Amino acid sequence: MKIRVGFGFDTHQLVVGRELWLGGVLIPNSVGALGHSDADVLIHAICDAILGAANLRDIGFHFKNTDPQWKNIDSKILLKESCRLVREKGFEIGNIDATLCLEEPKINPHITKMQTALSECMQIELDCISIKATTNETMGYVGRKEGVNAYAVALIEKI
Ligand code: MG
């Protein structure tokens, strides 16, 4: 099979005193995502989608969340390395389709900036990176603004 798909999911708590990084962009907000790295939930979902497509395990396998080397690290570095692993296995990344799920802030004004950052980081065209956003209609931990979820699918092609 020359083309393969992968799926990624990630979630992080939202807490006071942390920055909110989404898709490689710092989003002004009263709460931010808690995590070992910069906790960029969207990038982590995309990493898992491309790694999964190439059957290269997951982000936690390659970048242990107990390793001091990755403490507060810019997740763009993890994404760059994930892309390198996928290409090293003989694949090129086709496209990404991702969805962020959080109650606030509004994500729409930031989407072009995220696409630009991810396009540069992944070395694929901006048009190949789709980012969507939705709320959880006030239900559950996302609805209570206690956390943020991200989902991503990736298509890769053997070259
Ligand atoms: Mg994560």
Side-chain angles (χ1 to χ4, degrees), residues 90-118:
F91 294 103
E92 191 41 71
I93 298 155
N95 73 298
I96 303 294
D97 185 24
T99 299
L100 272 168
C101 190
L102 74 171
E103 295 299 307
E104 58 183 27
K106 284 271 170 271
I107 296 305
N108 257 325
H110 306 288
I111 285 183
T112 306
K113 241 202 259 179
M114 292 180 191
Q115 287 173 309
T116 304
L118 296 174

PDB file of all heavy atoms in Angstrom, residues 90-118:
ATOM      1  N   GLY A  90      10.832   6.454   4.743  1.00  0.00           N
ATOM      2  CA  GLY A  90      10.519   6.436   3.315  1.00  0.00           C
ATOM      3  C   GLY A  90       9.156   6.991   2.937  1.00  0.00           C
ATOM      4  O   GLY A  90       8.656   6.740   1.842  1.00  0.00           O
ATOM      5  N   PHE A  91       8.558   7.780   3.841  1.00  0.00           N
ATOM      6  CA  PHE A  91       7.244   8.355   3.559  1.00  0.00           C
ATOM      7  C   PHE A  91       7.338   9.871   3.367  1.00  0.00           C
ATOM      8  O   PHE A  91       8.221  10.518   3.926  1.00  0.00           O
ATOM      9  CB  PHE A  91       6.275   8.094   4.725  1.00  0.00           C
ATOM     10  CG  PHE A  91       5.939   6.643   4.921  1.00  0.00           C
ATOM     11  CD1 PHE A  91       6.534   5.912   5.942  1.00  0.00           C
ATOM     12  CD2 PHE A  91       5.036   5.999   4.096  1.00  0.00           C
ATOM     13  CE1 PHE A  91       6.221   4.574   6.136  1.00  0.00           C
ATOM     14  CE2 PHE A  91       4.708   4.656   4.283  1.00  0.00           C
ATOM     15  CZ  PHE A  91       5.308   3.942   5.302  1.00  0.00           C
ATOM     16  N   GLU A  92       6.386  10.423   2.591  1.00  0.00           N
ATOM     17  CA  GLU A  92       6.204  11.877   2.553  1.00  0.00           C
ATOM     18  C   GLU A  92       4.820  12.156   3.127  1.00  0.00           C
ATOM     19  O   GLU A  92       3.904  11.334   3.006  1.00  0.00           O
ATOM     20  CB  GLU A  92       6.358  12.425   1.126  1.00  0.00           C
ATOM     21  CG  GLU A  92       6.443  13.945   1.056  1.00  0.00           C
ATOM     22  CD  GLU A  92       7.298  14.580   2.172  1.00  0.00           C
ATOM     23  OE1 GLU A  92       8.542  14.443   2.160  1.00  0.00           O
ATOM     24  OE2 GLU A  92       6.700  15.202   3.065  1.00  0.00           O
ATOM     25  N   ILE A  93       4.710  13.298   3.787  1.00  0.00           N
ATOM     26  CA  ILE A  93       3.440  13.648   4.433  1.00  0.00           C
ATOM     27  C   ILE A  93       2.523  14.311   3.413  1.00  0.00           C
ATOM     28  O   ILE A  93       2.925  15.275   2.742  1.00  0.00           O
ATOM     29  CB  ILE A  93       3.697  14.562   5.654  1.00  0.00           C
ATOM     30  CG1 ILE A  93       4.552  13.805   6.686  1.00  0.00           C
ATOM     31  CG2 ILE A  93       2.376  15.030   6.272  1.00  0.00           C
ATOM     32  CD1 ILE A  93       5.364  14.706   7.597  1.00  0.00           C
ATOM     33  N   GLY A  94       1.327  13.766   3.276  1.00  0.00           N
ATOM     34  CA  GLY A  94       0.369  14.295   2.305  1.00  0.00           C
ATOM     35  C   GLY A  94      -0.409  15.457   2.876  1.00  0.00           C
ATOM     36  O   GLY A  94      -0.180  16.607   2.525  1.00  0.00           O
ATOM     37  N   ASN A  95      -1.316  15.174   3.765  1.00  0.00           N
ATOM     38  CA  ASN A  95      -2.075  16.254   4.402  1.00  0.00           C
ATOM     39  C   ASN A  95      -2.467  15.885   5.824  1.00  0.00           C
ATOM     40  O   ASN A  95      -2.434  14.720   6.227  1.00  0.00           O
ATOM     41  CB  ASN A  95      -3.321  16.622   3.589  1.00  0.00           C
ATOM     42  CG  ASN A  95      -4.407  15.580   3.698  1.00  0.00           C
ATOM     43  OD1 ASN A  95      -4.211  14.437   3.300  1.00  0.00           O
ATOM     44  ND2 ASN A  95      -5.550  15.955   4.257  1.00  0.00           N
ATOM     45  N   ILE A  96      -2.824  16.939   6.564  1.00  0.00           N
ATOM     46  CA  ILE A  96      -3.264  16.817   7.959  1.00  0.00           C
ATOM     47  C   ILE A  96      -4.646  17.447   8.056  1.00  0.00           C
ATOM     48  O   ILE A  96      -4.882  18.519   7.491  1.00  0.00           O
ATOM     49  CB  ILE A  96      -2.314  17.632   8.897  1.00  0.00           C
ATOM     50  CG1 ILE A  96      -0.852  17.177   8.760  1.00  0.00           C
ATOM     51  CG2 ILE A  96      -2.795  17.595  10.345  1.00  0.00           C
ATOM     52  CD1 ILE A  96      -0.566  15.792   9.226  1.00  0.00           C
ATOM     53  N   ASP A  97      -5.530  16.820   8.782  1.00  0.00           N
ATOM     54  CA  ASP A  97      -6.810  17.442   9.125  1.00  0.00           C
ATOM     55  C   ASP A  97      -6.984  17.302  10.630  1.00  0.00           C
ATOM     56  O   ASP A  97      -6.941  16.180  11.160  1.00  0.00           O
ATOM     57  CB  ASP A  97      -7.960  16.770   8.365  1.00  0.00           C
ATOM     58  CG  ASP A  97      -9.291  17.475   8.616  1.00  0.00           C
ATOM     59  OD1 ASP A  97      -9.276  18.675   8.970  1.00  0.00           O
ATOM     60  OD2 ASP A  97     -10.338  16.823   8.454  1.00  0.00           O
ATOM     61  N   ALA A  98      -7.110  18.430  11.316  1.00  0.00           N
ATOM     62  CA  ALA A  98      -7.135  18.404  12.779  1.00  0.00           C
ATOM     63  C   ALA A  98      -8.307  19.205  13.330  1.00  0.00           C
ATOM     64  O   ALA A  98      -8.785  20.143  12.694  1.00  0.00           O
ATOM     65  CB  ALA A  98      -5.822  18.962  13.327  1.00  0.00           C
ATOM     66  N   THR A  99      -8.739  18.815  14.522  1.00  0.00           N
ATOM     67  CA  THR A  99      -9.810  19.552  15.216  1.00  0.00           C
ATOM     68  C   THR A  99      -9.400  19.804  16.657  1.00  0.00           C
ATOM     69  O   THR A  99      -8.969  18.885  17.359  1.00  0.00           O
ATOM     70  CB  THR A  99     -11.138  18.765  15.201  1.00  0.00           C
ATOM     71  OG1 THR A  99     -11.553  18.556  13.857  1.00  0.00           O
ATOM     72  CG2 THR A  99     -12.233  19.516  15.943  1.00  0.00           C
ATOM     73  N   LEU A 100      -9.515  21.061  17.070  1.00  0.00           N
ATOM     74  CA  LEU A 100      -9.320  21.439  18.462  1.00  0.00           C
ATOM     75  C   LEU A 100     -10.687  21.507  19.116  1.00  0.00           C
ATOM     76  O   LEU A 100     -11.638  22.002  18.518  1.00  0.00           O
ATOM     77  CB  LEU A 100      -8.687  22.827  18.543  1.00  0.00           C
ATOM     78  CG  LEU A 100      -7.173  22.908  18.512  1.00  0.00           C
ATOM     79  CD1 LEU A 100      -6.755  24.349  18.297  1.00  0.00           C
ATOM     80  CD2 LEU A 100      -6.566  22.359  19.799  1.00  0.00           C
ATOM     81  N   CYS A 101     -10.774  21.052  20.354  1.00  0.00           N
ATOM     82  CA  CYS A 101     -12.044  21.089  21.063  1.00  0.00           C
ATOM     83  C   CYS A 101     -11.839  21.778  22.407  1.00  0.00           C
ATOM     84  O   CYS A 101     -11.175  21.225  23.300  1.00  0.00           O
ATOM     85  CB  CYS A 101     -12.564  19.662  21.244  1.00  0.00           C
ATOM     86  SG  CYS A 101     -14.242  19.602  21.836  1.00  0.00           S
ATOM     87  N   LEU A 102     -12.323  23.015  22.514  1.00  0.00           N
ATOM     88  CA  LEU A 102     -12.231  23.772  23.767  1.00  0.00           C
ATOM     89  C   LEU A 102     -13.304  24.848  23.793  1.00  0.00           C
ATOM     90  O   LEU A 102     -13.794  25.268  22.745  1.00  0.00           O
ATOM     91  CB  LEU A 102     -10.834  24.365  23.975  1.00  0.00           C
ATOM     92  CG  LEU A 102     -10.367  25.562  23.158  1.00  0.00           C
ATOM     93  CD1 LEU A 102      -9.057  26.093  23.710  1.00  0.00           C
ATOM     94  CD2 LEU A 102     -10.207  25.252  21.698  1.00  0.00           C
ATOM     95  N   GLU A 103     -13.661  25.279  24.987  1.00  0.00           N
ATOM     96  CA  GLU A 103     -14.755  26.253  25.124  1.00  0.00           C
ATOM     97  C   GLU A 103     -14.321  27.667  24.772  1.00  0.00           C
ATOM     98  O   GLU A 103     -15.081  28.417  24.185  1.00  0.00           O
ATOM     99  CB  GLU A 103     -15.310  26.220  26.552  1.00  0.00           C
ATOM    100  CG  GLU A 103     -15.966  24.902  26.916  1.00  0.00           C
ATOM    101  CD  GLU A 103     -17.159  24.536  26.035  1.00  0.00           C
ATOM    102  OE1 GLU A 103     -18.088  25.362  25.894  1.00  0.00           O
ATOM    103  OE2 GLU A 103     -17.166  23.431  25.472  1.00  0.00           O
ATOM    104  N   GLU A 104     -13.115  28.052  25.202  1.00  0.00           N
ATOM    105  CA  GLU A 104     -12.605  29.383  24.929  1.00  0.00           C
ATOM    106  C   GLU A 104     -11.087  29.364  25.008  1.00  0.00           C
ATOM    107  O   GLU A 104     -10.528  28.454  25.634  1.00  0.00           O
ATOM    108  CB  GLU A 104     -13.201  30.419  25.909  1.00  0.00           C
ATOM    109  CG  GLU A 104     -12.922  30.082  27.374  1.00  0.00           C
ATOM    110  CD  GLU A 104     -13.567  31.069  28.347  1.00  0.00           C
ATOM    111  OE1 GLU A 104     -14.594  31.678  28.003  1.00  0.00           O
ATOM    112  OE2 GLU A 104     -13.008  31.222  29.439  1.00  0.00           O
ATOM    113  N   PRO A 105     -10.379  30.312  24.407  1.00  0.00           N
ATOM    114  CA  PRO A 105     -10.907  31.427  23.611  1.00  0.00           C
ATOM    115  C   PRO A 105     -11.304  30.979  22.206  1.00  0.00           C
ATOM    116  O   PRO A 105     -11.082  29.809  21.852  1.00  0.00           O
ATOM    117  CB  PRO A 105      -9.698  32.367  23.553  1.00  0.00           C
ATOM    118  CG  PRO A 105      -8.522  31.445  23.541  1.00  0.00           C
ATOM    119  CD  PRO A 105      -8.918  30.297  24.432  1.00  0.00           C
ATOM    120  N   LYS A 106     -11.813  31.888  21.417  1.00  0.00           N
ATOM    121  CA  LYS A 106     -12.133  31.605  20.017  1.00  0.00           C
ATOM    122  C   LYS A 106     -10.832  31.326  19.255  1.00  0.00           C
ATOM    123  O   LYS A 106      -9.847  32.051  19.390  1.00  0.00           O
ATOM    124  CB  LYS A 106     -12.852  32.809  19.389  1.00  0.00           C
ATOM    125  CG  LYS A 106     -14.307  32.896  19.828  1.00  0.00           C
ATOM    126  CD  LYS A 106     -15.211  32.097  18.899  1.00  0.00           C
ATOM    127  CE  LYS A 106     -16.619  31.931  19.407  1.00  0.00           C
ATOM    128  NZ  LYS A 106     -16.826  30.740  20.255  1.00  0.00           N
ATOM    129  N   ILE A 107     -10.824  30.266  18.487  1.00  0.00           N
ATOM    130  CA  ILE A 107      -9.608  29.815  17.801  1.00  0.00           C
ATOM    131  C   ILE A 107      -9.504  30.369  16.379  1.00  0.00           C
ATOM    132  O   ILE A 107      -8.405  30.580  15.859  1.00  0.00           O
ATOM    133  CB  ILE A 107      -9.569  28.270  17.799  1.00  0.00           C
ATOM    134  CG1 ILE A 107      -9.466  27.726  19.236  1.00  0.00           C
ATOM    135  CG2 ILE A 107      -8.417  27.733  16.965  1.00  0.00           C
ATOM    136  CD1 ILE A 107      -8.293  28.274  20.050  1.00  0.00           C
ATOM    137  N   ASN A 108     -10.643  30.631  15.774  1.00  0.00           N
ATOM    138  CA  ASN A 108     -10.670  31.082  14.374  1.00  0.00           C
ATOM    139  C   ASN A 108      -9.653  32.168  14.010  1.00  0.00           C
ATOM    140  O   ASN A 108      -8.967  32.035  12.994  1.00  0.00           O
ATOM    141  CB  ASN A 108     -12.082  31.563  13.991  1.00  0.00           C
ATOM    142  CG  ASN A 108     -12.776  30.511  13.148  1.00  0.00           C
ATOM    143  OD1 ASN A 108     -12.136  29.836  12.351  1.00  0.00           O
ATOM    144  ND2 ASN A 108     -14.082  30.362  13.334  1.00  0.00           N
ATOM    145  N   PRO A 109      -9.514  33.234  14.824  1.00  0.00           N
ATOM    146  CA  PRO A 109      -8.573  34.299  14.446  1.00  0.00           C
ATOM    147  C   PRO A 109      -7.110  33.837  14.396  1.00  0.00           C
ATOM    148  O   PRO A 109      -6.265  34.548  13.863  1.00  0.00           O
ATOM    149  CB  PRO A 109      -8.760  35.355  15.548  1.00  0.00           C
ATOM    150  CG  PRO A 109     -10.016  35.000  16.254  1.00  0.00           C
ATOM    151  CD  PRO A 109     -10.242  33.540  16.065  1.00  0.00           C
ATOM    152  N   HIS A 110      -6.819  32.682  14.977  1.00  0.00           N
ATOM    153  CA  HIS A 110      -5.421  32.222  15.075  1.00  0.00           C
ATOM    154  C   HIS A 110      -5.067  31.133  14.065  1.00  0.00           C
ATOM    155  O   HIS A 110      -3.914  30.709  14.001  1.00  0.00           O
ATOM    156  CB  HIS A 110      -5.161  31.696  16.491  1.00  0.00           C
ATOM    157  CG  HIS A 110      -5.500  32.656  17.575  1.00  0.00           C
ATOM    158  ND1 HIS A 110      -4.742  33.786  17.835  1.00  0.00           N
ATOM    159  CD2 HIS A 110      -6.531  32.687  18.452  1.00  0.00           C
ATOM    160  CE1 HIS A 110      -5.292  34.452  18.834  1.00  0.00           C
ATOM    161  NE2 HIS A 110      -6.376  33.818  19.221  1.00  0.00           N
ATOM    162  N   ILE A 111      -6.054  30.669  13.313  1.00  0.00           N
ATOM    163  CA  ILE A 111      -5.835  29.479  12.485  1.00  0.00           C
ATOM    164  C   ILE A 111      -4.783  29.683  11.391  1.00  0.00           C
ATOM    165  O   ILE A 111      -3.905  28.833  11.197  1.00  0.00           O
ATOM    166  CB  ILE A 111      -7.181  28.935  11.939  1.00  0.00           C
ATOM    167  CG1 ILE A 111      -7.896  28.223  13.103  1.00  0.00           C
ATOM    168  CG2 ILE A 111      -6.968  27.981  10.755  1.00  0.00           C
ATOM    169  CD1 ILE A 111      -9.193  27.556  12.792  1.00  0.00           C
ATOM    170  N   THR A 112      -4.821  30.822  10.706  1.00  0.00           N
ATOM    171  CA  THR A 112      -3.832  31.061   9.638  1.00  0.00           C
ATOM    172  C   THR A 112      -2.411  31.067  10.213  1.00  0.00           C
ATOM    173  O   THR A 112      -1.491  30.501   9.618  1.00  0.00           O
ATOM    174  CB  THR A 112      -4.126  32.382   8.894  1.00  0.00           C
ATOM    175  OG1 THR A 112      -5.480  32.343   8.448  1.00  0.00           O
ATOM    176  CG2 THR A 112      -3.210  32.566   7.700  1.00  0.00           C
ATOM    177  N   LYS A 113      -2.257  31.672  11.391  1.00  0.00           N
ATOM    178  CA  LYS A 113      -0.933  31.709  12.032  1.00  0.00           C
ATOM    179  C   LYS A 113      -0.463  30.295  12.384  1.00  0.00           C
ATOM    180  O   LYS A 113       0.705  29.947  12.226  1.00  0.00           O
ATOM    181  CB  LYS A 113      -1.004  32.563  13.312  1.00  0.00           C
ATOM    182  CG  LYS A 113      -0.073  33.780  13.276  1.00  0.00           C
ATOM    183  CD  LYS A 113       0.242  34.252  14.673  1.00  0.00           C
ATOM    184  CE  LYS A 113      -0.596  35.462  15.027  1.00  0.00           C
ATOM    185  NZ  LYS A 113      -0.356  35.972  16.384  1.00  0.00           N
ATOM    186  N   MET A 114      -1.388  29.472  12.877  1.00  0.00           N
ATOM    187  CA  MET A 114      -1.048  28.076  13.210  1.00  0.00           C
ATOM    188  C   MET A 114      -0.644  27.309  11.959  1.00  0.00           C
ATOM    189  O   MET A 114       0.350  26.582  11.962  1.00  0.00           O
ATOM    190  CB  MET A 114      -2.248  27.359  13.854  1.00  0.00           C
ATOM    191  CG  MET A 114      -2.637  27.861  15.218  1.00  0.00           C
ATOM    192  SD  MET A 114      -4.061  26.896  15.813  1.00  0.00           S
ATOM    193  CE  MET A 114      -4.522  27.848  17.227  1.00  0.00           C
ATOM    194  N   GLN A 115      -1.423  27.481  10.894  1.00  0.00           N
ATOM    195  CA  GLN A 115      -1.109  26.782   9.635  1.00  0.00           C
ATOM    196  C   GLN A 115       0.277  27.189   9.145  1.00  0.00           C
ATOM    197  O   GLN A 115       1.046  26.344   8.685  1.00  0.00           O
ATOM    198  CB  GLN A 115      -2.147  27.127   8.558  1.00  0.00           C
ATOM    199  CG  GLN A 115      -3.493  26.470   8.776  1.00  0.00           C
ATOM    200  CD  GLN A 115      -4.524  26.976   7.771  1.00  0.00           C
ATOM    201  OE1 GLN A 115      -4.687  28.184   7.607  1.00  0.00           O
ATOM    202  NE2 GLN A 115      -5.189  26.063   7.102  1.00  0.00           N
ATOM    203  N   THR A 116       0.584  28.479   9.251  1.00  0.00           N
ATOM    204  CA  THR A 116       1.888  28.988   8.807  1.00  0.00           C
ATOM    205  C   THR A 116       3.014  28.363   9.632  1.00  0.00           C
ATOM    206  O   THR A 116       4.010  27.882   9.082  1.00  0.00           O
ATOM    207  CB  THR A 116       1.934  30.527   8.924  1.00  0.00           C
ATOM    208  OG1 THR A 116       0.836  31.061   8.181  1.00  0.00           O
ATOM    209  CG2 THR A 116       3.232  31.097   8.399  1.00  0.00           C
ATOM    210  N   ALA A 117       2.828  28.342  10.960  1.00  0.00           N
ATOM    211  CA  ALA A 117       3.858  27.781  11.850  1.00  0.00           C
ATOM    212  C   ALA A 117       4.055  26.290  11.579  1.00  0.00           C
ATOM    213  O   ALA A 117       5.191  25.797  11.499  1.00  0.00           O
ATOM    214  CB  ALA A 117       3.451  28.000  13.310  1.00  0.00           C
ATOM    215  N   LEU A 118       2.947  25.564  11.409  1.00  0.00           N
ATOM    216  CA  LEU A 118       3.039  24.112  11.200  1.00  0.00           C
ATOM    217  C   LEU A 118       3.605  23.778   9.827  1.00  0.00           C
ATOM    218  O   LEU A 118       4.381  22.832   9.673  1.00  0.00           O
ATOM    219  CB  LEU A 118       1.661  23.465  11.393  1.00  0.00           C
ATOM    220  CG  LEU A 118       1.078  23.566  12.807  1.00  0.00           C
ATOM    221  CD1 LEU A 118      -0.336  23.028  12.853  1.00  0.00           C
ATOM    222  CD2 LEU A 118       1.965  22.831  13.808  1.00  0.00           C
TER     223      LEU A 118
END
